[in-house]
Amino acid sequence: MSVFKTFRRMALVGLISLPVSLGAMELKISTLYPDGTSAVNTLRAAGKQLAEETDGRVSIRVYAGGTMGDDRAVQRRIRIGQLHGQLAQAGAFASHYKDSQILNLPLSFRSLDEVDHVRETLDPVIRDGFEENGWVVFGPVDGGFAYLMTRNPVASVADLRRQKVWLPAGDSGSAMAAREFGVSPVVLNLGAVLTSLQTGTIDAFAAPAVPALTLQWYSRVNHYTDMPLLYTYGILALGKQHVARLSDADQATLRRVLGEAFAEMDRKERADNQRAMEALKAQGLEPVKPDDEQLAEWRKLANQATDRLVEGGEISAEMLERLNTLLDEYRGG
């Protein structure tokens, strides 16, 4: 082989091995959050900072309001590289790391102080679990407690069984829990909820205050059951294969900038949820408080539902034990 051919081959190999980040990479992120929400604004501000700190090598484009489709469609697009990430409720990614549902178990938490105590330990565990399964995750971001909101008052489990309750499509954990409570839910995509409330296809749903307010669902119900049904949280998940295309230095900048942005978003969303709950009450949504006997039945069935989730492989026994240990620790034994 001539010297010329040898150098030409070396040059080609060198070109192939050049890091992609030498050219600009725009991270395309989809979310159901509408334009103008604090979550979308925070993400865009982080993208601007990221572009500045990487001299334009890494930037972010946000597709808000579900314009890229539902969770399944978005994750297909991420797999093939049309998109690079998604800002969504954590349940959208539960199939990739089932123990991430540990914060979403029914009636596990009684206060936000308990949530904060548990999250201090389990947040990094959840992030690491997702990364081991192919996702670089930022968050969790507080989604607030989901409350049962209904057209007719619901205080007892027997009351619940008389309602036409909405359940999100593709949420196997919630479906399993619903069966334990003796509920036959109406499974719908998110976009069909308001219309279904208007037509009477459903007359009850469980949701945090912010989506109930911003999506106008509250306008079709009259009551909320004054009992935190479950805690919700969101995450930004980027396909690990896409992040790996960046140089080590740009990956470090990405993780720092988005990590700081999502810590701030967590604080903002907590405050927004608390304000939204007050707004719902001001709109005339009436509280229905279970008595001690009714609450005991709710908790008994919630514990049974959690046991079924473990038996069905939705949550590991080890992760559940970690949660219970932290809750016992906070509650004093």
Side-chain angles (χ1 to χ4, degrees):
M1 182 183 295
S2 68
V3 173
F4 173 75
K5 288 183 178 179
T6 300
F7 277 112
R8 185 173 65 180
R9 178 170 292 182
M10 290 172 64
L12 286 172
V13 170
L15 284 171
I16 292 170
S17 63
L18 282 173
V20 174
S21 59
L22 289 182
M25 182 176 181
E26 183 181 60
L27 292 170
K28 298 175 181 177
I29 296 170
S30 174
T31 184
L32 292 174
Y33 286 91
D35 263 321
T37 56
S38 62
V40 171
N41 291 342
T42 301
L43 184 54
R44 285 188 170 136
K48 183 178 179 181
Q49 180 184 348
L50 187 60
E52 290 172 353
E53 293 200 22
T54 61
D55 296 324
R57 292 187 302 277
V58 187
S59 60
I60 289 175
R61 174 177 291 188
V62 182
Y63 297 91
T67 55
M68 287 293 172
D70 63 16
D71 294 332
R72 291 182 181 180
V74 166
Q75 290 178 30
R76 283 196 300 271
R77 289 173 182 264
I78 293 171
R79 282 197 300 272
I80 64 177
Q82 290 180 348
L83 294 170
H84 305 107
Q86 182 181 14
L87 173 61
Q89 287 295 302
F93 296 91
S95 62
H96 300 282
Y97 176 49
K98 290 192 173 183
D99 272 350
S100 64
Q101 300 172 102
I102 192 63
L103 299 180
N104 306 137
L105 297 180
L107 274 72
S108 288
F109 297 106
R110 300 173 189 175
S111 70
L112 288 171
D113 288 339
E114 286 188 351
V115 170
D116 291 342
H117 179 76
V118 168
R119 281 190 51 190
E120 185 176 0
T121 297
L122 293 190
D123 277 10
V125 175
I126 289 170
R127 288 191 292 267
D128 290 346
F130 274 118
E131 185 136 5
E132 290 169 6
N133 287 278
W135 297 91
V136 177
V137 160
F138 300 92
V141 172
D142 188 272
F145 283 125
Y147 288 89
L148 189 64
M149 301 186 191
T150 59
R151 188 164 296 159
N152 304 302
V154 171
S156 67
V157 175
D159 293 335
L160 175 67
R161 290 169 181 162
R162 289 191 287 268
Q163 314 307 311
K164 293 175 283 187
V165 183
W166 168 61
L167 190 72
D171 190 340
S172 59
S174 293
M176 196 175 293
R179 286 195 296 271
E180 196 64 35
F181 278 89
V183 173
S184 298
V186 180
V187 178
L188 299 166
N189 288 322
L190 193 72
V193 174
L194 182 58
T195 301
S196 298
L197 285 166
Q198 291 167 340
T199 61
T201 303
I202 58 174
D203 55 19
F205 61 88
V210 166
L213 188 66
T214 58
L215 298 174
Q216 298 292 301
W217 295 351
Y218 79 93
S219 65
R220 298 293 168 171
V221 294
N222 305 309
H223 308 274
Y224 75 94
T225 304
D226 191 8
M227 171 187 68
L229 193 61
L230 54 85
Y231 179 72
T232 67
Y233 72 94
I235 57 171
L236 169 63
L238 302 177
K240 194 173 180 179
Q241 75 275 27
H242 304 309
V243 175
R245 294 167 57 195
L246 303 174
S247 69
D248 289 347
D250 285 346
Q251 286 188 47
T253 302
L254 174 80
R255 289 176 183 269
R256 175 177 53 77
V257 169
L258 288 180
E260 292 171 354
F262 273 74
E264 178 62 23
M265 190 187 297
D266 186 33
R267 291 188 287 272
K268 286 181 179 177
E269 291 295 313
R270 168 70 62 84
D272 285 351
N273 274 302
Q274 291 172 330
R275 283 193 293 267
M277 197 65 207
E278 293 307 311
L280 288 178
K281 294 175 185 177
Q283 292 291 334
L285 212 61
E286 295 183 8
V288 179
K289 194 165 186 67
D291 62 29
D292 290 345
E293 184 178 348
Q294 290 166 335
L295 187 57
E297 183 182 15
W298 281 101
R299 286 181 174 160
K300 175 185 175 183
L301 291 176
N303 289 336
Q304 290 177 6
T306 297
D307 290 342
R308 297 293 177 271
L309 291 171
V310 173
E311 292 168 9
E314 293 292 329
I315 293 284
S316 71
E318 293 76 15
M319 185 63 95
L320 179 60
E321 184 177 358
R322 294 185 78 167
L323 171 67
N324 287 333
T325 298
L326 289 165
L327 288 173
D328 288 344
E329 178 181 282
Y330 182 84
R331 293 168 184 169

